[in-house]
Amino acid sequence: MSEADVEPRVEALWRAGELRAAVELSASRFRGGPFRDADVDAVGDDLDAAARLFAHGSRCWFVARWADAELALDRALAIRAAQLGDRDVATLACVERLAAVAHKQRRLADARVRWDAVVDALEIAAPVLGACAARNYAAYLTGRRGDLREPRELMDRALAVLVGELGEAHDDVLAARKANAMLLIREGAPRKALDAIQRALEDTALPDDHPFVAGAKLAAVRARLAARKPDAAAIEALLVDAIASFERGYGEHPLLAIALYLGAKHGSAPPEVAAERAARAFAVRRRFDPLPDRDTRVIGEAAHSLLEAAGLRDDAARLHRELAESPEVA
């Protein structure tokens, strides 16, 4: 496939929800093939090369290939900073994406420094791009302890721009609605969060089996649980859809682990299925956050209990040994 044919095909796969396939095809443009084997230094050092690297790194982030994302984005940043300057919008966009990578790699101080450095400038120079940056920074702050006024201010600004400029059906608006729902839960308004995310699911132009829609369904499940509306049948339906969409679009991914875990704990599947979901959630989660990560251990312990309750004692014993061999985080 020629270079001219690659990007339209990548975009078509992306819109169809086949995100991993899109990233694999995108990586084929770099010497060495997909993901970590790709030699991004062989791409060149002009601004067209930087654009390809930026697009590829941004897509790698979504499929949890964060080391690959950082490699491509760092190279794009070096090219753009050298040729456009540190304060050009294209350069700032690289810094913003690298903040998102740092967040996922648990380099939290680095993430905050990078977002602090670019959000205001992007909001002024490129309002839509700046609104996406503000949304992402707000989502990061929502997951941290502390005052929620800053993420609320960022989120409100982001939503106003994104809805006004792009319309309710756009996928960047769906991402903002999802992030806002998680903030509303933190603010103690889960019913409002559930109403908002349900409206967003109705408005989006993305296909129902797209992983971005699955992420919104996951937010709806969390809002239901926080609002004390644990309708097991409704939760089961949402999570069955989400799990299938994540598997098709992402393959193994932290969001798949969350969906499997919530399905095991709060769905209406038979005990054996719940136990299998929990065990798989643990297996997927530890690929990204190995033991002794505290949240990974919580999922592993839940899987052990469900395996025992389902009478799958051999599987439970194997998991117990694995947990026992890993020290707990103090």
Side-chain angles (χ1 to χ4, degrees):
M1 188 179 295
S2 70
E3 174 67 32
D5 294 331
V6 170
E7 188 59 29
R9 179 58 181 153
V10 168
E11 184 60 25
L13 287 167
W14 197 263
R15 297 303 299 174
E18 297 181 44
L19 274 58
R20 183 179 175 84
V23 169
E24 289 174 341
L25 180 58
S26 174
S28 71
R29 292 178 290 187
F30 308 129
R31 190 176 69 194
F35 300 135
R36 215 154 279 128
D37 293 332
D39 182 359
V40 299
D41 288 327
V43 176
D45 59 2
D46 60 23
L47 292 175
D48 286 342
R52 291 195 299 274
L53 287 162
F54 177 80
H56 179 64
S58 298
R59 290 177 178 130
C60 283
W61 183 89
F62 281 100
V63 298
R65 295 281 177 171
W66 297 309
D68 302 314
E70 187 168 34
L71 185 67
L73 291 167
D74 271 337
R75 179 68 175 145
L77 175 61
I79 296 169
R80 287 175 168 178
Q83 298 192 32
L84 301 173
D86 290 339
R87 303 309 293 172
D88 186 85
V89 166
T91 306
L92 296 175
C94 290
V95 177
E96 194 281 328
R97 287 291 75 209
L98 285 165
V101 171
H103 177 201
K104 293 301 184 183
Q105 292 181 324
R106 306 279 184 99
R107 304 195 322 263
L108 303 182
D110 181 22
R112 178 150 200 166
V113 166
R114 288 179 184 270
W115 268 311
D116 278 338
V118 301
V119 168
D120 289 347
L122 282 171
E123 285 185 295
I124 293 167
V128 171
L129 191 58
C132 290
R135 173 201 66 202
N136 298 338
Y137 192 15
Y140 160 83
L141 292 170
T142 297
R144 311 270 69 78
R145 294 179 181 175
D147 195 333
L148 294 175
R149 283 177 294 184
E150 185 179 5
R152 172 47 61 202
E153 290 171 3
L154 287 162
M155 190 68 74
D156 287 347
R157 294 203 310 263
L159 279 167
V161 172
L162 292 173
V163 172
E165 294 292 328
L166 303 177
E168 291 285 0
H170 197 277
D171 45 316
D172 275 322
V173 174
L174 177 64
R177 295 292 188 200
K178 180 185 72 172
N180 187 51
M182 300 309 294
L183 178 54
L184 285 166
I185 292 170
R186 280 285 319 275
E187 290 172 330
R191 291 179 183 275
K192 189 175 179 180
L194 181 58
D195 290 343
I197 201 66
Q198 287 177 333
R199 286 197 303 272
L201 285 166
E202 292 169 1
D203 290 337
T204 185
L206 289 170
D208 190 61
D209 61 350
H210 197 286
F212 294 170
V213 175
K217 291 177 180 179
L218 205 56
V221 168
R222 287 176 154 176
R224 277 187 173 276
L225 294 171
R228 301 183 186 277
K229 296 178 68 175
D231 181 335
I235 288 172
E236 179 73 14
L238 286 166
L239 289 173
V240 165
D241 285 351
I243 290 166
S245 297
F246 289 146
E247 288 176 326
R248 184 180 73 92
Y250 288 144
E252 292 199 346
H253 192 282
L255 288 175
L256 175 61
I258 293 170
L260 287 164
Y261 175 66
L262 291 177
K265 292 283 286 184
H266 302 289
S268 59
E272 296 83 358
V273 174
E276 288 169 2
R277 283 177 177 171
R280 187 158 175 237
F282 176 66
V284 173
R285 169 80 189 200
R286 68 184 176 185
R287 279 200 58 199
F288 298 94
D289 294 289
L291 290 170
D293 178 80
R294 183 177 288 107
D295 290 338
T296 303
R297 177 171 287 279
V298 167
I299 294 174
E301 290 172 350
H304 174 257
S305 297
L306 288 167
L307 287 166
E308 280 202 327
L312 301 171
R313 292 184 176 82
D314 290 344
D315 292 334
R318 280 194 294 271
L319 183 51
H320 176 74
R321 285 194 297 272
E322 183 173 352
L323 292 167
E325 290 168 1
S326 177
E328 293 191 41
V329 177

mmCIF file of all heavy atoms in Angstrom, residues 86-88 91-93 95-96 99 109-123 133 137 150:
data_model
loop_
_atom_site.group_PDB
_atom_site.id
_atom_site.type_symbol
_atom_site.label_atom_id
_atom_site.label_comp_id
_atom_site.label_asym_id
_atom_site.label_seq_id
_atom_site.Cartn_x
_atom_site.Cartn_y
_atom_site.Cartn_z
ATOM 1 N N ASP A 86 9.214 26.845 20.253
ATOM 2 C CA ASP A 86 8.587 26.188 21.403
ATOM 3 C C ASP A 86 7.135 26.571 21.618
ATOM 4 O O ASP A 86 6.396 25.826 22.273
ATOM 5 C CB ASP A 86 9.371 26.506 22.677
ATOM 6 C CG ASP A 86 10.736 25.840 22.722
ATOM 7 O OD1 ASP A 86 10.919 24.846 21.996
ATOM 8 O OD2 ASP A 86 11.611 26.326 23.465
ATOM 9 N N ARG A 87 6.715 27.742 21.107
ATOM 10 C CA ARG A 87 5.367 28.229 21.419
ATOM 11 C C ARG A 87 4.407 28.098 20.245
ATOM 12 O O ARG A 87 3.271 28.570 20.331
ATOM 13 C CB ARG A 87 5.418 29.692 21.882
ATOM 14 C CG ARG A 87 6.307 29.954 23.070
ATOM 15 C CD ARG A 87 6.024 29.013 24.233
ATOM 16 N NE ARG A 87 4.710 29.234 24.831
ATOM 17 C CZ ARG A 87 4.178 28.444 25.757
ATOM 18 N NH1 ARG A 87 4.826 27.355 26.163
ATOM 19 N NH2 ARG A 87 2.984 28.720 26.263
ATOM 20 N N ASP A 88 4.837 27.469 19.183
ATOM 21 C CA ASP A 88 3.917 27.222 18.080
ATOM 22 C C ASP A 88 2.843 26.226 18.512
ATOM 23 O O ASP A 88 3.092 25.318 19.317
ATOM 24 C CB ASP A 88 4.681 26.669 16.880
ATOM 25 C CG ASP A 88 3.802 26.524 15.654
ATOM 26 O OD1 ASP A 88 3.647 27.517 14.927
ATOM 27 O OD2 ASP A 88 3.260 25.416 15.447
ATOM 28 N N THR A 91 3.746 22.595 18.160
ATOM 29 C CA THR A 91 4.689 22.144 19.186
ATOM 30 C C THR A 91 3.968 21.932 20.506
ATOM 31 O O THR A 91 4.172 20.909 21.193
ATOM 32 C CB THR A 91 5.803 23.187 19.362
ATOM 33 O OG1 THR A 91 6.412 23.451 18.093
ATOM 34 C CG2 THR A 91 6.865 22.693 20.327
ATOM 35 N N LEU A 92 3.119 22.885 20.867
ATOM 36 C CA LEU A 92 2.363 22.767 22.120
ATOM 37 C C LEU A 92 1.459 21.532 22.107
ATOM 38 O O LEU A 92 1.261 20.888 23.144
ATOM 39 C CB LEU A 92 1.521 24.017 22.350
ATOM 40 C CG LEU A 92 2.290 25.336 22.546
ATOM 41 C CD1 LEU A 92 1.313 26.502 22.652
ATOM 42 C CD2 LEU A 92 3.181 25.273 23.779
ATOM 43 N N ALA A 93 0.918 21.193 20.940
ATOM 44 C CA ALA A 93 0.069 19.997 20.841
ATOM 45 C C ALA A 93 0.859 18.741 21.181
ATOM 46 O O ALA A 93 0.326 17.810 21.818
ATOM 47 C CB ALA A 93 -0.524 19.890 19.436
ATOM 48 N N VAL A 95 3.423 18.628 23.275
ATOM 49 C CA VAL A 95 3.606 18.657 24.734
ATOM 50 C C VAL A 95 2.345 18.164 25.439
ATOM 51 O O VAL A 95 2.417 17.390 26.411
ATOM 52 C CB VAL A 95 3.973 20.080 25.201
ATOM 53 C CG1 VAL A 95 4.086 20.131 26.720
ATOM 54 C CG2 VAL A 95 5.284 20.530 24.566
ATOM 55 N N GLU A 96 1.180 18.579 24.931
ATOM 56 C CA GLU A 96 -0.082 18.161 25.554
ATOM 57 C C GLU A 96 -0.262 16.654 25.476
ATOM 58 O O GLU A 96 -0.652 16.008 26.453
ATOM 59 C CB GLU A 96 -1.253 18.868 24.882
ATOM 60 C CG GLU A 96 -2.557 18.775 25.651
ATOM 61 C CD GLU A 96 -3.297 17.458 25.505
ATOM 62 O OE1 GLU A 96 -3.203 16.838 24.422
ATOM 63 O OE2 GLU A 96 -3.974 17.027 26.470
ATOM 64 N N ALA A 99 1.900 14.962 27.914
ATOM 65 C CA ALA A 99 1.326 15.026 29.259
ATOM 66 C C ALA A 99 0.377 13.847 29.484
ATOM 67 O O ALA A 99 0.393 13.207 30.549
ATOM 68 C CB ALA A 99 0.576 16.351 29.453
ATOM 69 N N ALA A 109 3.644 14.046 38.328
ATOM 70 C CA ALA A 109 4.186 15.403 38.413
ATOM 71 C C ALA A 109 4.565 15.916 37.024
ATOM 72 O O ALA A 109 4.303 17.083 36.686
ATOM 73 C CB ALA A 109 5.391 15.430 39.348
ATOM 74 N N ASP A 110 5.156 15.051 36.217
ATOM 75 C CA ASP A 110 5.521 15.411 34.849
ATOM 76 C C ASP A 110 4.279 15.779 34.048
ATOM 77 O O ASP A 110 4.268 16.778 33.296
ATOM 78 C CB ASP A 110 6.265 14.248 34.207
ATOM 79 C CG ASP A 110 6.719 14.522 32.780
ATOM 80 O OD1 ASP A 110 6.832 15.697 32.415
ATOM 81 O OD2 ASP A 110 6.969 13.549 32.040
ATOM 82 N N ALA A 111 3.219 14.989 34.183
ATOM 83 C CA ALA A 111 1.976 15.266 33.466
ATOM 84 C C ALA A 111 1.441 16.641 33.825
ATOM 85 O O ALA A 111 1.069 17.442 32.952
ATOM 86 C CB ALA A 111 0.939 14.186 33.777
ATOM 87 N N ARG A 112 1.419 16.947 35.121
ATOM 88 C CA ARG A 112 0.854 18.228 35.561
ATOM 89 C C ARG A 112 1.692 19.398 35.040
ATOM 90 O O ARG A 112 1.144 20.404 34.584
ATOM 91 C CB ARG A 112 0.748 18.273 37.075
ATOM 92 C CG ARG A 112 0.218 19.593 37.584
ATOM 93 C CD ARG A 112 -0.546 19.490 38.868
ATOM 94 N NE ARG A 112 -1.390 20.661 39.039
ATOM 95 C CZ ARG A 112 -2.372 20.766 39.903
ATOM 96 N NH1 ARG A 112 -2.673 19.750 40.682
ATOM 97 N NH2 ARG A 112 -3.097 21.862 39.983
ATOM 98 N N VAL A 113 3.011 19.279 35.112
ATOM 99 C CA VAL A 113 3.880 20.355 34.620
ATOM 100 C C VAL A 113 3.621 20.613 33.137
ATOM 101 O O VAL A 113 3.525 21.778 32.695
ATOM 102 C CB VAL A 113 5.359 19.998 34.863
ATOM 103 C CG1 VAL A 113 6.274 20.923 34.077
ATOM 104 C CG2 VAL A 113 5.686 20.082 36.354
ATOM 105 N N ARG A 114 3.497 19.560 32.370
ATOM 106 C CA ARG A 114 3.283 19.727 30.927
ATOM 107 C C ARG A 114 1.927 20.365 30.641
ATOM 108 O O ARG A 114 1.828 21.285 29.816
ATOM 109 C CB ARG A 114 3.409 18.375 30.217
ATOM 110 C CG ARG A 114 4.837 17.835 30.144
ATOM 111 C CD ARG A 114 4.862 16.482 29.453
ATOM 112 N NE ARG A 114 6.178 15.868 29.441
ATOM 113 C CZ ARG A 114 7.083 16.035 28.482
ATOM 114 N NH1 ARG A 114 6.808 16.822 27.451
ATOM 115 N NH2 ARG A 114 8.251 15.422 28.534
ATOM 116 N N TRP A 115 0.857 19.892 31.306
ATOM 117 C CA TRP A 115 -0.449 20.509 31.074
ATOM 118 C C TRP A 115 -0.469 21.966 31.529
ATOM 119 O O TRP A 115 -1.009 22.827 30.835
ATOM 120 C CB TRP A 115 -1.550 19.709 31.764
ATOM 121 C CG TRP A 115 -2.164 18.664 30.887
ATOM 122 C CD1 TRP A 115 -2.628 18.815 29.613
ATOM 123 C CD2 TRP A 115 -2.405 17.293 31.216
ATOM 124 N NE1 TRP A 115 -3.137 17.632 29.115
ATOM 125 C CE2 TRP A 115 -3.013 16.676 30.092
ATOM 126 C CE3 TRP A 115 -2.182 16.517 32.357
ATOM 127 C CZ2 TRP A 115 -3.399 15.340 30.067
ATOM 128 C CZ3 TRP A 115 -2.569 15.181 32.335
ATOM 129 C CH2 TRP A 115 -3.167 14.601 31.197
ATOM 130 N N ASP A 116 0.121 22.247 32.679
ATOM 131 C CA ASP A 116 0.190 23.629 33.154
ATOM 132 C C ASP A 116 0.882 24.532 32.132
ATOM 133 O O ASP A 116 0.541 25.712 32.001
ATOM 134 C CB ASP A 116 0.933 23.709 34.488
ATOM 135 C CG ASP A 116 0.046 23.374 35.679
ATOM 136 O OD1 ASP A 116 -1.190 23.487 35.556
ATOM 137 O OD2 ASP A 116 0.601 22.996 36.738
ATOM 138 N N ALA A 117 1.846 23.975 31.420
ATOM 139 C CA ALA A 117 2.641 24.774 30.492
ATOM 140 C C ALA A 117 1.908 25.114 29.204
ATOM 141 O O ALA A 117 2.276 26.081 28.523
ATOM 142 C CB ALA A 117 3.939 24.038 30.162
ATOM 143 N N VAL A 118 0.875 24.340 28.841
ATOM 144 C CA VAL A 118 0.317 24.513 27.492
ATOM 145 C C VAL A 118 -1.174 24.806 27.430
ATOM 146 O O VAL A 118 -1.648 25.347 26.425
ATOM 147 C CB VAL A 118 0.608 23.270 26.617
ATOM 148 C CG1 VAL A 118 2.105 23.023 26.504
ATOM 149 C CG2 VAL A 118 -0.110 22.023 27.123
ATOM 150 N N VAL A 119 -1.953 24.459 28.454
ATOM 151 C CA VAL A 119 -3.406 24.547 28.318
ATOM 152 C C VAL A 119 -3.859 25.968 28.020
ATOM 153 O O VAL A 119 -4.621 26.214 27.065
ATOM 154 C CB VAL A 119 -4.115 23.989 29.572
ATOM 155 C CG1 VAL A 119 -5.606 24.342 29.547
ATOM 156 C CG2 VAL A 119 -3.961 22.467 29.643
ATOM 157 N N ASP A 120 -3.430 26.934 28.803
ATOM 158 C CA ASP A 120 -3.876 28.311 28.590
ATOM 159 C C ASP A 120 -3.478 28.815 27.207
ATOM 160 O O ASP A 120 -4.280 29.462 26.514
ATOM 161 C CB ASP A 120 -3.292 29.232 29.663
ATOM 162 C CG ASP A 120 -3.923 29.008 31.039
ATOM 163 O OD1 ASP A 120 -4.964 28.324 31.107
ATOM 164 O OD2 ASP A 120 -3.358 29.508 32.025
ATOM 165 N N ALA A 121 -2.244 28.535 26.794
ATOM 166 C CA ALA A 121 -1.776 29.000 25.486
ATOM 167 C C ALA A 121 -2.577 28.369 24.354
ATOM 168 O O ALA A 121 -2.929 29.038 23.368
ATOM 169 C CB ALA A 121 -0.287 28.683 25.323
ATOM 170 N N LEU A 122 -2.892 27.088 24.471
ATOM 171 C CA LEU A 122 -3.678 26.428 23.432
ATOM 172 C C LEU A 122 -5.106 26.960 23.403
ATOM 173 O O LEU A 122 -5.689 27.129 22.318
ATOM 174 C CB LEU A 122 -3.682 24.916 23.658
ATOM 175 C CG LEU A 122 -2.421 24.166 23.234
ATOM 176 C CD1 LEU A 122 -2.477 22.714 23.706
ATOM 177 C CD2 LEU A 122 -2.232 24.211 21.721
ATOM 178 N N GLU A 123 -5.698 27.227 24.558
ATOM 179 C CA GLU A 123 -7.067 27.748 24.575
ATOM 180 C C GLU A 123 -7.146 29.094 23.850
ATOM 181 O O GLU A 123 -8.156 29.401 23.219
ATOM 182 C CB GLU A 123 -7.560 27.887 26.009
ATOM 183 C CG GLU A 123 -7.909 26.554 26.656
ATOM 184 C CD GLU A 123 -8.513 26.716 28.037
ATOM 185 O OE1 GLU A 123 -7.796 27.202 28.947
ATOM 186 O OE2 GLU A 123 -9.696 26.367 28.205
ATOM 187 N N ALA A 133 -7.444 19.933 25.358
ATOM 188 C CA ALA A 133 -6.392 19.899 26.370
ATOM 189 C C ALA A 133 -6.971 20.168 27.758
ATOM 190 O O ALA A 133 -6.610 19.489 28.736
ATOM 191 C CB ALA A 133 -5.308 20.926 26.035
ATOM 192 N N TYR A 137 -6.880 17.625 30.932
ATOM 193 C CA TYR A 137 -6.290 18.036 32.207
ATOM 194 C C TYR A 137 -7.325 17.909 33.322
ATOM 195 O O TYR A 137 -7.010 17.432 34.427
ATOM 196 C CB TYR A 137 -5.773 19.466 32.091
ATOM 197 C CG TYR A 137 -4.879 19.928 33.223
ATOM 198 C CD1 TYR A 137 -4.295 19.035 34.122
ATOM 199 C CD2 TYR A 137 -4.588 21.279 33.382
ATOM 200 C CE1 TYR A 137 -3.466 19.470 35.150
ATOM 201 C CE2 TYR A 137 -3.764 21.728 34.408
ATOM 202 C CZ TYR A 137 -3.208 20.827 35.281
ATOM 203 O OH TYR A 137 -2.395 21.264 36.297
ATOM 204 N N GLU A 150 -10.785 23.432 40.373
ATOM 205 C CA GLU A 150 -9.987 23.593 39.158
ATOM 206 C C GLU A 150 -10.455 22.685 38.031
ATOM 207 O O GLU A 150 -10.669 23.162 36.903
ATOM 208 C CB GLU A 150 -8.503 23.367 39.453
ATOM 209 C CG GLU A 150 -7.617 23.643 38.235
ATOM 210 C CD GLU A 150 -6.134 23.445 38.508
ATOM 211 O OE1 GLU A 150 -5.774 22.996 39.617
ATOM 212 O OE2 GLU A 150 -5.338 23.742 37.602
#
